[in-house]
Amino acid sequence: MGDKLNSGGSGLNSIQCCTCKNGVAVTSYPECIAWKGANSVLSCNDAGPSSLSAYALRLSPGEEIVTSLITFVKDKKLKAPFIITCVGSVTKATLRLANAIASNTNEIVHLNEKFEIVSLVGTLNEVAHLHITLADKDGRTIGGHVMGDLEVFTTAEIVIGECGGLEFTREMDERTGFPELVISSRTKQV
């Protein structure tokens, strides 16, 4: 796994762009590869900015989006995949709302109607971390953390990106109570 770096700064409004070059933190724009908040842990990537590969897929009516994405990532052996864009529609979805915490995740909604996918974003390592915004027939939106049950209505046209040279994993973060993203350089893997 890559080296870890405390991005420094103080207070909630302190945001820095951090990366590592030869073990030294770099925060200037040209070398910037990841934005992190104050007191955050960032895995270093000595290789600098990574290359980007893109994959496009279309899911058909009845397919479950999260399961299909995880299968795609495993089949393609992607190490640092993320959603670039997604358009389409679903007939149901299960979302965790923003006020949920690790010790009380019961703020979950089960949606069973037709929705347009307005936005789908997130990372797709062994456990997908996806957020979605959906619009109903009147244009009202709802969004949250995807728990599953994203069943395609007409189509889901998805573009997946992969950061070459990086690997996404998750580790439990005692501060949040959730498994959070760890970014590692593949060249540092043992």
Side-chain angles (χ1 to χ4, degrees):
M1 191 177 306
D3 297 331
K4 292 183 181 176
L5 167 72
N6 185 316
S7 65
S10 61
L12 294 174
N13 295 323
S14 176
I15 302 224
Q16 296 182 350
C17 174
C18 296
T19 187
C20 286
K21 277 200 170 175
N22 300 320
V24 177
V26 176
T27 58
S28 60
Y29 175 75
E31 292 85 11
C32 182
I33 65 164
W35 288 94
K36 294 298 287 185
N39 303 316
S40 295
V41 174
L42 174 68
S43 296
C44 298
N45 174 15
D46 289 336
S50 64
S51 62
L52 174 68
S53 298
Y55 302 84
L57 67 145
R58 177 184 177 257
L59 302 179
S60 299
E63 291 187 78
E64 202 283 320
I65 294 174
V66 178
T67 304
S68 298
L69 289 171
I70 296 300
T71 299
F72 182 86
V73 165
K74 286 180 182 176
D75 289 350
K76 298 291 184 187
K77 297 178 175 53
L78 304 181
K79 300 295 183 190
F82 60 96
I83 301 292
I84 294 175
T85 190
C86 174
V87 296
S89 58
V90 296
T91 58
K92 62 181 181 175
T94 301
L95 308 178
R96 186 181 70 220
L97 302 180
N99 61 344
I101 57 174
S103 62
N104 182 19
T105 59
N106 61 358
E107 294 293 329
I108 293 176
V109 295
H110 301 279
L111 306 170
N112 290 295
E113 61 182 280
K114 295 172 184 157
F115 290 94
E116 287 290 324
I117 299 170
V118 177
S119 174
L120 177 66
V121 297
T123 55
L124 294 165
N125 49 314
E126 68 274 1
V127 177
H129 182 192
L130 302 174
H131 288 197
I132 195 166
T133 305
L134 301 168
D136 69 12
K137 64 181 175 23
D138 298 316
R140 289 184 304 246
T141 59
I142 186 168
H145 175 88
V146 175
M147 299 298 290
D149 293 329
L150 287 179
E151 186 176 289
V152 175
F153 173 47
T154 58
T155 190
E157 301 165 6
I158 306 168
V159 179
I160 298 171
E162 183 186 34
C163 298
L166 298 180
E167 183 167 357
F168 295 165
T169 57
R170 294 209 166 266
E171 290 180 6
M172 186 57 70
D173 186 323
E174 294 174 11
R175 296 170 298 168
T176 66
F178 290 103
E180 302 292 359
L181 182 67
V182 175
I183 305 162
S184 303
S185 170
R186 287 189 223 174
T187 59
K188 291 200 147 222
Q189 300 294 320
V190 188

